[in-house]
Amino acid sequence: MIGFVTPIDLRSDTVTQPGEEMRRAMATAEVGDDVLDHDPTMAALEERVAELLGVEAALWVPSGSMGNLIALFLHLKRGDRFLAPLGAHVLDAELGTAAWLAGGMPHGLPVMSAEAVTAAGGGESPYYGLRTTLLCLENTHNASGGTVTPPDEHALLVSAARSVGLAVHLDGARLWNASVALGVPPAALTVGADTVQVCLSKGLGAPVGSVVAGSSSFVVEARRVRKMLGGGVRQGGVLAAAGLVALDRISRLADDHANASALAAGLRSLGWDVPEPATNIVLASVPDPEKTLTSLRDVGVFASPMSGKVRFVTHGDVDSSDIAEVLRRLREDA
Ligand SMILES: *Cc1c(COP(=O)(O)O)cnc(C)c1O
């Protein structure tokens, strides 16, 4: 049936196309050689993100995976153990690099609570035991359906980590969504974290780019690891310019959240099993996800598999009329 209908792509918030304004900013960006010294537009982006996150310094990286890897590489020594929520991107979606490049033994926590962190991270272990040294948080939590950790819960997790001597890394690929959903500044969600990774290429719509941030001394080392991984770019200002435009679009995420909520409500009215989304990710429980994904595709609705469910993600290239159209197609197809 594809070919007769315009596809509506809800596989991810990464599918957005850079618009006119963003392309113009890229084309006219002031640039330097970011590997030699510093590209001025890169520097401007990094300063702006550091300020937004309430940290000393920040470093542009080509992807969120590289940002997480750089942070974990600097936090972990071979044989250290790190804690992360089950389903975390660092556990399941980065090819295990946290283990084989950063050297950490992963330990997934089924429930993220202060008690779980102190139980898993504390206590004496025998000389042949692992040393748990790091807690990785993820806000919003992608695999749980874009769920949000509010500042008070975040503070409890951080202080639990501290009480047993753990460093804290925050995978904030969609921290902007959490900030908008909670109505708090992004910096309110990074308090106490040693390092933070945020994506510019998800809901904010940049074609490429993430930022890893923390103390100034962390960023000095992070720049070395980025180079080691092949992530240093020369006239990076062309890419950073897109990031600067993207950062003007944080408040726009509220539309994505409203569209996700409307989609969830519509799906429920069609009898689907869908909880209310906290942000822009709708996770539907279906008996056979592959089968559902295929029948969705047949009516020109693209979704993706996640956590044994079907995931729909709203973003800047779909609006409320697209959501209404998705629901119309499903109603007709039912
Ligand atoms: C998308 C994402 C990343 C990074 O992804 P890249 O595709 O490497 O930019 C990291 N963590 C979470 C939770 C994500 O959703």
Side-chain angles (χ1 to χ4, degrees), residues 64-65 68 85 87-95 138 141-142 171 202:
S65 298
N68 284 337
H89 203 274
V90 290
L91 295 179
D92 292 352
E94 298 178 13
L95 297 99
E138 188 178 305
H141 193 259
N142 185 0
D171 179 355
K202 303 261 163 101

Side-chain angles (χ1 to χ4, degrees), residues 81 118-132 163-165:
R81 189 169 81 147
T118 45
E124 282 298 302
S125 63
Y127 79 91
Y128 49 80
L130 295 167
R131 291 197 179 113
T132 306
S163 75
V164 289

